[in-house]
Each structure stands twice: as C-alpha cells, then as structure tokens.
Short mmCIF file of all heavy atoms in Angstrom, two decimals:
data_model
loop_
_atom_site.label_atom_id
_atom_site.label_comp_id
_atom_site.label_asym_id
_atom_site.label_seq_id
_atom_site.Cartn_x
_atom_site.Cartn_y
_atom_site.Cartn_z
N GLU P 1 -0.21 20.21 9.62
CA GLU P 1 -0.64 20.19 8.16
C GLU P 1 0.42 20.48 7.45
O GLU P 1 0.22 21.34 6.21
CB GLU P 1 -1.98 21.03 7.99
CG GLU P 1 -3.17 20.52 8.86
CD GLU P 1 -4.37 21.47 8.67
OE1 GLU P 1 -4.15 22.57 8.33
OE2 GLU P 1 -5.42 20.85 9.06
N ALA P 2 1.70 20.11 7.57
CA ALA P 2 2.79 20.50 6.68
C ALA P 2 3.58 19.16 6.12
O ALA P 2 4.70 19.25 5.65
CB ALA P 2 3.83 21.27 7.52
N SER P 3 2.75 18.05 6.17
CA SER P 3 3.38 16.79 5.79
C SER P 3 3.70 16.86 4.28
O SER P 3 4.59 15.97 3.84
CB SER P 3 2.52 15.54 6.22
OG SER P 3 1.39 15.59 5.57
N GLU P 4 3.07 17.59 3.49
CA GLU P 4 3.22 17.50 2.08
C GLU P 4 4.60 18.10 1.61
O GLU P 4 5.12 17.87 0.64
CB GLU P 4 2.30 18.41 1.29
CG GLU P 4 2.29 19.78 1.48
CD GLU P 4 1.81 20.42 2.80
OE1 GLU P 4 1.26 19.56 3.72
OE2 GLU P 4 2.01 21.62 3.01
N ARG P 5 5.24 18.78 2.60
CA ARG P 5 6.62 19.38 2.47
C ARG P 5 7.73 18.35 2.80
O ARG P 5 8.83 18.67 2.51
CB ARG P 5 6.75 20.65 3.45
CG ARG P 5 5.73 21.74 3.03
CD ARG P 5 6.23 23.01 3.72
NE ARG P 5 5.11 23.89 4.04
CZ ARG P 5 5.18 25.06 4.77
NH1 ARG P 5 6.30 25.32 5.13
NH2 ARG P 5 4.02 25.86 4.81
N LEU P 6 7.31 17.20 3.36
CA LEU P 6 8.41 16.32 3.70
C LEU P 6 9.08 15.75 2.44
O LEU P 6 8.36 15.34 1.51
CB LEU P 6 7.80 15.12 4.60
CG LEU P 6 7.53 15.51 6.05
CD1 LEU P 6 6.57 14.46 6.72
CD2 LEU P 6 8.70 15.62 6.85
N SER P 7 10.36 15.67 2.44
CA SER P 7 11.08 15.17 1.30
C SER P 7 11.77 13.84 1.68
O SER P 7 12.29 13.20 0.65
CB SER P 7 12.11 16.23 0.78
OG SER P 7 13.09 16.42 1.84
N GLY P 8 11.75 13.35 2.85
CA GLY P 8 12.29 12.08 3.11
C GLY P 8 11.96 11.68 4.65
O GLY P 8 11.57 12.62 5.40
N VAL P 9 12.22 10.42 4.90
CA VAL P 9 11.91 10.04 6.33
C VAL P 9 12.85 9.08 6.82
O VAL P 9 13.63 8.45 6.12
CB VAL P 9 10.46 9.49 6.46
CG1 VAL P 9 9.31 10.40 6.14
CG2 VAL P 9 10.24 8.13 5.59
N GLU P 10 13.11 8.96 8.25
CA GLU P 10 13.91 8.07 8.86
C GLU P 10 13.29 6.63 8.69
O GLU P 10 12.13 6.46 8.36
CB GLU P 10 14.06 8.28 10.31
CG GLU P 10 14.75 9.57 10.66
CD GLU P 10 14.69 9.76 12.17
OE1 GLU P 10 13.68 9.48 12.87
OE2 GLU P 10 15.75 10.38 12.67
N GLU P 11 14.13 5.56 8.70
CA GLU P 11 13.72 4.19 8.59
C GLU P 11 12.52 3.87 9.53
O GLU P 11 11.63 3.18 9.15
CB GLU P 11 14.81 3.32 8.89
CG GLU P 11 14.51 1.77 8.70
CD GLU P 11 13.80 1.08 9.93
OE1 GLU P 11 14.30 1.61 11.01
OE2 GLU P 11 13.19 0.16 9.79
N MET P 12 12.56 4.39 10.81
CA MET P 12 11.50 4.14 11.81
C MET P 12 10.10 4.53 11.24
O MET P 12 9.08 3.99 11.52
CB MET P 12 11.75 5.00 13.04
CG MET P 12 10.58 4.95 14.01
SD MET P 12 10.30 3.26 14.80
CE MET P 12 11.64 3.10 15.92
N GLU P 13 10.09 5.55 10.32
CA GLU P 13 8.83 6.20 9.92
C GLU P 13 8.22 5.25 8.84
O GLU P 13 7.02 5.45 8.44
CB GLU P 13 8.95 7.47 9.20
CG GLU P 13 9.51 8.54 10.28
CD GLU P 13 8.66 8.82 11.39
OE1 GLU P 13 7.54 8.46 11.49
OE2 GLU P 13 9.23 9.60 12.33
N ARG P 14 8.82 4.12 8.41
CA ARG P 14 8.27 3.22 7.53
C ARG P 14 7.40 2.12 8.23
O ARG P 14 6.69 1.34 7.72
CB ARG P 14 9.32 2.46 6.77
CG ARG P 14 10.28 3.35 5.93
CD ARG P 14 9.54 3.74 4.50
NE ARG P 14 10.38 4.49 3.75
CZ ARG P 14 11.07 3.81 2.68
NH1 ARG P 14 11.07 2.60 2.67
NH2 ARG P 14 11.91 4.66 1.92
N ARG P 15 7.47 2.14 9.58
CA ARG P 15 6.66 1.06 10.39
C ARG P 15 5.35 1.51 10.68
O ARG P 15 5.14 2.61 11.19
CB ARG P 15 7.48 0.73 11.54
CG ARG P 15 8.98 0.37 11.38
CD ARG P 15 9.77 -0.03 12.65
NE ARG P 15 11.15 -0.02 12.54
CZ ARG P 15 11.97 -0.22 13.41
NH1 ARG P 15 11.58 -0.33 14.75
NH2 ARG P 15 13.35 -0.24 13.25
N PRO P 16 4.34 0.68 10.61
CA PRO P 16 2.90 0.92 10.94
C PRO P 16 2.78 1.03 12.39
O PRO P 16 3.56 0.58 13.13
CB PRO P 16 2.10 -0.08 10.29
CG PRO P 16 3.04 -1.28 10.20
CD PRO P 16 4.50 -0.70 9.96
N GLY P 17 1.67 1.59 12.88
CA GLY P 17 1.30 1.55 14.25
C GLY P 17 0.93 2.97 14.86
O GLY P 17 0.30 3.05 15.82
N ARG P 18 1.64 3.93 14.31
CA ARG P 18 1.40 5.31 14.65
C ARG P 18 0.23 5.89 14.01
O ARG P 18 0.14 5.72 12.76
CB ARG P 18 2.75 6.20 14.49
CG ARG P 18 3.82 5.80 15.57
CD ARG P 18 5.08 6.48 15.21
NE ARG P 18 5.51 6.48 13.79
CZ ARG P 18 5.98 5.36 13.19
NH1 ARG P 18 6.27 4.36 13.84
NH2 ARG P 18 6.31 5.45 11.97
N PRO P 19 -0.67 6.67 14.64
CA PRO P 19 -1.83 7.09 13.81
C PRO P 19 -1.52 7.88 12.63
O PRO P 19 -2.17 7.65 11.54
CB PRO P 19 -2.56 7.99 14.95
CG PRO P 19 -2.09 7.40 16.28
CD PRO P 19 -0.74 6.89 15.98
N TYR P 20 -0.57 8.77 12.66
CA TYR P 20 -0.15 9.58 11.49
C TYR P 20 0.30 8.70 10.31
O TYR P 20 0.06 9.10 9.19
CB TYR P 20 0.75 10.72 11.74
CG TYR P 20 2.09 10.25 12.18
CD1 TYR P 20 3.14 10.05 11.28
CD2 TYR P 20 2.51 10.23 13.52
CE1 TYR P 20 4.32 9.47 11.66
CE2 TYR P 20 3.78 9.83 14.01
CZ TYR P 20 4.75 9.54 13.04
OH TYR P 20 5.98 9.16 13.40
N TRP P 21 0.91 7.52 10.49
CA TRP P 21 1.33 6.67 9.44
C TRP P 21 0.11 6.24 8.68
O TRP P 21 0.21 6.11 7.46
CB TRP P 21 2.17 5.51 10.10
CG TRP P 21 2.81 4.75 9.13
CD1 TRP P 21 4.09 4.71 8.58
CD2 TRP P 21 2.27 3.49 8.39
NE1 TRP P 21 4.38 3.62 7.73
CE2 TRP P 21 3.21 2.91 7.56
CE3 TRP P 21 1.01 2.94 8.46
CZ2 TRP P 21 3.08 1.78 6.77
CZ3 TRP P 21 0.82 1.79 7.69
CH2 TRP P 21 1.75 1.25 6.90
N HIS P 22 -0.91 5.95 9.43
CA HIS P 22 -2.13 5.37 8.74
C HIS P 22 -2.90 6.51 7.97
O HIS P 22 -3.61 6.19 6.91
CB HIS P 22 -3.02 4.67 9.74
CG HIS P 22 -2.34 3.38 10.28
ND1 HIS P 22 -2.39 2.12 9.58
CD2 HIS P 22 -1.57 3.26 11.38
CE1 HIS P 22 -1.68 1.40 10.38
NE2 HIS P 22 -1.17 1.94 11.44
N ALA P 23 -2.72 7.68 8.45
CA ALA P 23 -3.58 8.81 7.97
C ALA P 23 -2.86 9.52 6.81
O ALA P 23 -3.43 9.93 5.82
CB ALA P 23 -3.75 9.94 8.91
N GLN P 24 -1.48 9.39 6.69
CA GLN P 24 -0.72 10.04 5.70
C GLN P 24 0.08 9.02 4.80
O GLN P 24 1.22 8.64 4.92
CB GLN P 24 0.32 11.07 6.32
CG GLN P 24 -0.24 12.01 7.30
CD GLN P 24 -0.87 13.23 6.56
OE1 GLN P 24 -0.55 13.62 5.53
NE2 GLN P 24 -2.07 13.74 7.14
N GLU P 25 -0.77 8.42 3.86
CA GLU P 25 -0.10 7.28 3.13
C GLU P 25 0.98 7.69 2.33
O GLU P 25 1.92 6.77 1.99
CB GLU P 25 -1.26 6.78 2.29
CG GLU P 25 -2.35 6.03 2.93
CD GLU P 25 -3.48 5.26 2.02
OE1 GLU P 25 -3.03 5.32 0.87
OE2 GLU P 25 -4.41 4.77 2.56
N HIS P 26 1.14 8.85 1.92
CA HIS P 26 2.31 9.38 1.08
C HIS P 26 3.50 9.32 1.80
O HIS P 26 4.54 9.20 1.05
CB HIS P 26 2.04 10.74 0.54
CG HIS P 26 2.03 11.86 1.71
ND1 HIS P 26 0.98 11.98 2.42
CD2 HIS P 26 3.09 12.68 1.99
CE1 HIS P 26 1.31 12.99 3.28
NE2 HIS P 26 2.59 13.56 3.03
N LEU P 27 3.52 9.20 3.06
CA LEU P 27 4.79 9.14 3.95
C LEU P 27 5.58 7.80 3.57
O LEU P 27 6.79 7.79 3.63
CB LEU P 27 4.53 9.32 5.41
CG LEU P 27 3.88 10.52 5.90
CD1 LEU P 27 3.55 10.40 7.45
CD2 LEU P 27 4.79 11.64 5.60
N ARG P 28 4.85 6.86 3.35
CA ARG P 28 5.39 5.40 3.02
C ARG P 28 6.27 5.42 1.73
O ARG P 28 7.11 4.55 1.58
CB ARG P 28 4.38 4.42 3.06
CG ARG P 28 3.40 4.49 4.07
CD ARG P 28 2.17 3.66 3.95
NE ARG P 28 1.04 3.99 4.83
CZ ARG P 28 -0.17 3.37 4.80
NH1 ARG P 28 -0.43 2.32 4.09
NH2 ARG P 28 -1.08 3.92 5.69
N ALA P 29 6.00 6.31 0.89
CA ALA P 29 6.65 6.31 -0.47
C ALA P 29 7.92 7.26 -0.40
O ALA P 29 8.71 7.25 -1.39
CB ALA P 29 5.78 6.67 -1.52
N LEU P 30 8.12 8.03 0.53
CA LEU P 30 9.15 8.97 0.72
C LEU P 30 10.59 8.38 0.75
O LEU P 30 10.66 7.16 1.50
CB LEU P 30 9.08 9.95 1.75
CG LEU P 30 7.82 10.97 1.65
CD1 LEU P 30 7.77 11.72 3.00
CD2 LEU P 30 7.94 11.83 0.55
N PRO P 31 11.62 8.79 0.27
CA PRO P 31 12.98 8.25 0.24
C PRO P 31 13.37 8.26 1.77
O PRO P 31 13.07 9.08 2.60
CB PRO P 31 13.73 9.36 -0.40
CG PRO P 31 12.94 10.08 -1.36
CD PRO P 31 11.69 10.14 -0.44
N GLN P 32 14.20 7.13 2.07
CA GLN P 32 14.64 6.99 3.40
C GLN P 32 15.98 7.69 3.53
O GLN P 32 16.81 7.66 2.70
CB GLN P 32 14.88 5.44 3.71
CG GLN P 32 15.23 4.98 5.03
CD GLN P 32 15.51 3.59 5.26
OE1 GLN P 32 14.58 2.86 4.81
NE2 GLN P 32 16.61 3.07 5.88
N VAL P 33 16.18 8.37 4.71
CA VAL P 33 17.24 9.20 4.94
C VAL P 33 18.19 8.74 6.13
O VAL P 33 18.90 9.57 6.72
CB VAL P 33 16.87 10.66 5.17
CG1 VAL P 33 16.25 11.25 3.93
CG2 VAL P 33 15.90 10.83 6.45
N GLY P 34 17.94 7.30 6.46
CA GLY P 34 18.81 6.85 7.66
C GLY P 34 18.09 6.32 8.82
O GLY P 34 16.79 6.30 8.70
#
C-alpha cells in the first residue's frame, strides 16, 4: 500500500495484464524512467 509514493515507472509497467496495473490506474500516468 505504498504505490502513491511512486514517482516514475519502467516502460514495462505501462503494459496491461498484471493485476496491480488494473487496480492502480494512477500508475499509467507516471513518468517513464527507462
């Protein structure tokens, strides 16, 4: 329960299919860090 502290994600994290990607919509808008 610390996903609100994420400030960026890898390119892989933009792809759907993992359960947390569908549960945490704000992850999709985070800056890409490589």
Side-chain angles (χ1 to χ4, degrees):
E1 299 178 341
S3 65
E4 75 284 351
R5 302 190 203 175
L6 284 165
S7 60
V9 292
E10 295 172 325
E11 183 275 331
M12 171 66 77
E13 303 294 352
R14 299 285 188 88
R15 305 178 192 177
R18 294 173 306 285
Y20 64 85
W21 186 94
H22 296 273
Q24 306 280 326
E25 294 186 5
H26 68 281
L27 297 180
R28 310 171 199 179
L30 291 174
Q32 185 176 315
V33 295

